[in-house]
Amino acid sequence: MKNIIKQFNACLAFMAFSFFLLVAACSSDDEQVEPVVKIPDTVLSSGMTFAGTEGVQTLSIQTNVALEVTSDKEWCTVTYKNTTAHGTASYQVKLDANPDATERTASITVQVNDTKIGTINVVQEVATSETDPKPEPEPEPGPLPDIGMNSDAKTLAAKMYAGINIGNTLEVPKGQDWGNNATVSSAYIKGLKKLGFNAVRIPCAWSSHADASTYQIDAEWLDKVAEAVNLCSVNDMYAIVNIHWDGGWLEDNILGGYSEAINTKQKTLWTQIATKFKDYDEHLLFAGCNEPGMNETSGGAFKAASVQTIMRYEQTFVDAVRATGGNNATRCLIVQGPATRISDTCSDEYGYSMPTDNVANRLMLEVHFYDPYNFCLMEKDEGWGNTFWYWGEQNHVSGSEHNPTWGEEAYVKEQFQLVKTHFVDKGYPVIIGEYSAMKRTVSESQEKHNQSRAYWNEVITREAKNHGIVPFYWETNGDINRSTGEAREVYAIDGIMKGAAAGKYPY
């Protein structure tokens, strides 16, 4: 989800009367600007973890002033890379290989004008430990042993116990860095399976890896995506490949009306993707786009004509895949509701409906779920409402201004029942392609906040399955170690698995 991967999860704003910095702006009248620095919450709370070998990660900090970012250890170096037009400064954090028999730590300090803003803990694991295994040979890209294409959409959905996203990785446009490299390792996929996941959504960028005129996709990029799919398949896990935000060429151009140029690009890209994977068995599913119209309608509603535009692009996706033949003739395909919002997708006014398919019972619908917004995504208190630090009645904190005022268990069931009534009961299984609630460092009860995240994960996962919806958790290297596949926030993963065990599909 573009809105999520672009935003930072913590804001250190220096506006308190006891700590107020003024930095001179470059103007003739000596206008003063108020320094604002935003460090990702996951970095502040969990730090940065490296394998025992030499490694590099990117640290991104949103800022409107010059920063001094330094390390206290010689083996951990921090180098400034660049600052984008949107004010995001990127730093390369590089660690030498760990020669010790124990893990070691370093501290990175962020300062403005000699005033410390935050400290980031760096942990490097032992090079010879089990958590830093030697690289295993990756499967060669190409067709894997064929177990057939016998499962229709309901049968296939019922096989998916719990799903997860490899977020901020293969969907990153070429030339950009969102904090994870674009390599998916065998150790990571095996780690996901060990945690209990058996289905993986692989968000992908394609446009930036294709010729701007012909839309011809770079063959090496197709092979890189295939490596990730292969790792899922050889571990008996299901994989979904999509066209994600991808620079917004499709999903940010919905309200302007249907475009033949966009439709041609959709057809051309999907013809190539489908041809690359046409011999793969039913472990692989395709999803036509990501969140069509989400960014354009974040502050307003759709129009029926815009929904029709989405449906035309999704029909092109289905037709393009089917035309490539092979196993694609019967592969299960996934289409996205308007903005993947439940309210818009199930609106009788907008009239969204599934594409026409020349094979029966091989389509699924996708929605996303980040409600209540105040708990899942909201970064700071606003005049219209506060952030929710807690969720679930048993996790409320007496007297807190951050207890939820809407969006708890009954609301979740109502929303999922809408999906069940409009689609599942009509023969179309549904996936929640993304769901998660941001991790915060709170001043009242961190324990209750963590319990709230765990309980939210449990309820969403359980009720999704109870309503015929396959859950795919959105994860970007915050709750799960991207190198090893081990849980960083065990409580969050335990919540998912508790919900997965309790939920029962109605088909």
Side-chain angles (χ1 to χ4, degrees):
M1 176 178 184
K2 182 195 173 203
N3 282 346
I4 296 172
I5 59 184
K6 289 287 188 180
Q7 63 189 326
F8 291 88
N9 297 332
C11 178
L12 300 180
F14 323 117
M15 296 180 289
F17 68 90
S18 61
F19 185 49
F20 191 82
L21 298 175
L22 292 178
V23 179
C26 297
S27 64
S28 59
D29 59 356
D30 294 328
E31 179 185 356
Q32 304 295 306
V33 295
E34 183 177 281
V36 176
V37 179
K38 298 180 181 179
I39 303 175
D41 177 67
T42 53
V43 175
L44 285 174
S45 60
S46 301
M48 304 176 73
T49 302
F50 288 74
T53 55
E54 178 180 311
V56 175
Q57 294 185 32
T58 296
L59 171 64
S60 297
I61 303 173
Q62 188 174 345
T63 177
N64 66 346
V65 295
L67 302 176
E68 183 181 359
V69 184
T70 58
S71 168
D72 67 345
K73 296 293 192 300
E74 291 184 357
W75 49 266
C76 173
T77 59
V78 182
T79 305
Y80 171 77
K81 294 173 63 179
N82 56 34
T83 301
T84 70
H86 300 289
T88 299
S90 294
Y91 299 84
Q92 176 182 279
V93 181
K94 182 177 180 181
L95 269 63
D96 298 336
N98 186 359
D100 302 331
T102 58
E103 74 175 24
R104 56 182 180 175
T105 61
S107 293
I108 293 174
T109 301
V110 180
Q111 297 187 142
V112 175
N113 293 346
D114 297 325
T115 301
K116 186 167 72 171
I117 306 308
T119 300
I120 300 166
N121 294 321
V122 176
V123 176
Q124 186 176 36
E125 298 164 345
V126 181
T128 57
S129 70
E130 293 181 359
T131 58
D132 186 23
K134 295 180 179 180
E136 299 182 15
E138 304 291 350
E140 291 295 325
L144 297 170
D146 190 355
I147 66 167
M149 301 292 292
N150 295 323
S151 300
D152 62 16
K154 287 184 179 180
T155 303
L156 201 56
K159 294 179 180 181
M160 298 182 191
Y161 181 74
I164 192 164
N165 282 264
I166 306 178
N168 288 14
T169 306
L170 292 173
E171 82 271 31
V172 180
K174 185 177 181 179
Q176 296 187 25
D177 188 339
W178 292 353
N180 299 320
N181 63 37
T183 298
V184 180
S185 70
S186 176
Y188 173 64
I189 296 298
K190 289 182 177 179
L192 294 181
K193 185 173 183 180
K194 186 176 180 179
L195 289 175
F197 298 100
N198 78 332
V200 179
R201 183 173 180 256
I202 308 173
C204 292
W206 300 100
S207 181
S208 60
H209 297 277
D211 184 90
S213 300
T214 65
Y215 311 133
Q216 182 68 38
I217 301 171
D218 183 356
E220 291 184 3
W221 184 249
L222 281 164
D223 285 346
K224 194 171 194 66
V225 175
E227 289 174 3
V229 174
N230 290 349
L231 286 170
C232 295
S233 294
V234 298
N235 284 286
D236 194 26
M237 301 171 76
Y238 296 92
I240 297 173
V241 166
N242 76 349
I243 291 181
H244 208 68
W245 173 66
D246 208 16
W249 64 268
L250 185 152
E251 69 174 59
D252 291 351
N253 288 285
I254 299 300
L255 299 191
Y258 173 80
S259 165
E260 190 61 43
I262 290 176
N263 195 58
T264 297
K265 187 172 183 177
Q266 171 84 325
K267 179 179 180 180
T268 304
L269 291 178
W270 269 115
T271 297
Q272 295 173 79
I273 299 165
T275 298
K276 172 70 175 181
F277 293 103
K278 71 177 182 179
D279 294 325
Y280 282 62
D281 65 31
E282 66 179 32
H283 279 104
L284 177 62
L285 300 85
F286 295 145
C289 50
N290 177 49
E291 293 175 338
M294 167 66 78
N295 296 318
E296 296 178 290
T297 59
S298 58
F302 274 103
K303 294 181 179 179
S306 301
V307 175
Q308 292 296 315
T309 294
I310 294 172
M311 291 165 58
R312 292 182 72 175
Y313 295 151
E314 291 180 343
Q315 186 65 58
T316 294
F317 154 66
V318 172
D319 293 344
V321 172
R322 294 288 183 242
T324 61
N327 285 342
N328 291 335
T330 55
R331 187 174 308 284
C332 284
L333 305 179
I334 304 167
V335 294
Q336 291 63 44
T340 57
R341 278 193 292 262
I342 291 174
S343 57
D344 292 333
T345 303
C346 297
S347 167
D348 293 332
E349 176 186 356
Y350 296 150
Y352 177 82
S353 63
M354 300 291 283
T356 300
D357 195 5
N358 58 17
V359 57
N361 303 319
R362 298 292 171 127
L363 294 180
M364 297 184 187
L365 173 76
E366 179 177 353
V367 295
H368 294 174
F369 195 79
Y370 291 101
D371 282 342
Y373 169 79
N374 309 58
F375 180 69
C376 295
L377 300 176
M378 190 172 173
E379 293 184 313
K380 60 186 179 66
D381 295 346
E382 301 286 356
W384 52 264
N386 290 344
T387 55
F388 297 166
W389 294 350
Y390 314 111
W391 195 87
E393 185 175 355
Q394 70 273 28
N395 296 316
H396 292 192
V397 172
S398 178
S400 175
E401 295 181 350
H402 297 280
N403 288 321
T405 58
W406 71 282
E408 294 191 276
E409 294 95 326
Y411 172 83
V412 172
K413 293 179 182 179
E414 289 172 1
Q415 290 293 294
F416 291 173
Q417 184 59 45
L418 281 175
V419 176
K420 184 175 185 296
T421 299
H422 281 78
F423 294 96
V424 175
D425 291 346
K426 296 177 181 178
Y428 297 106
V430 177
I431 73 166
I432 293 182
E434 298 177 14
Y435 71 106
S436 69
M438 67 188 297
K439 179 175 61 177
R440 296 179 169 90
T441 300
V442 304
S443 59
E444 294 176 343
S445 174
Q446 188 66 45
E447 180 182 9
K448 285 293 186 181
H449 172 67
N450 293 351
Q451 290 173 357
S452 295
R453 287 190 75 223
Y455 184 59
W456 188 88
N457 285 353
E458 176 188 343
V459 171
I460 305 308
T461 305
R462 182 189 70 225
E463 293 305 321
K465 294 183 72 170
N466 284 345
H467 289 83
I469 308 169
V470 183
F472 282 82
Y473 190 65
W474 180 255
E475 211 289 314
T476 61
N477 199 16
D479 289 326
I480 298 175
N481 186 308
R482 182 54 59 86
S483 298
T484 66
E486 295 182 330
R488 298 187 194 275
E489 306 296 340
V490 175
Y491 67 86
I493 307 307
D494 285 349
I496 295 171
M497 292 306 154
K498 186 175 180 180
K504 306 297 179 186
Y505 293 120
Y507 42 72

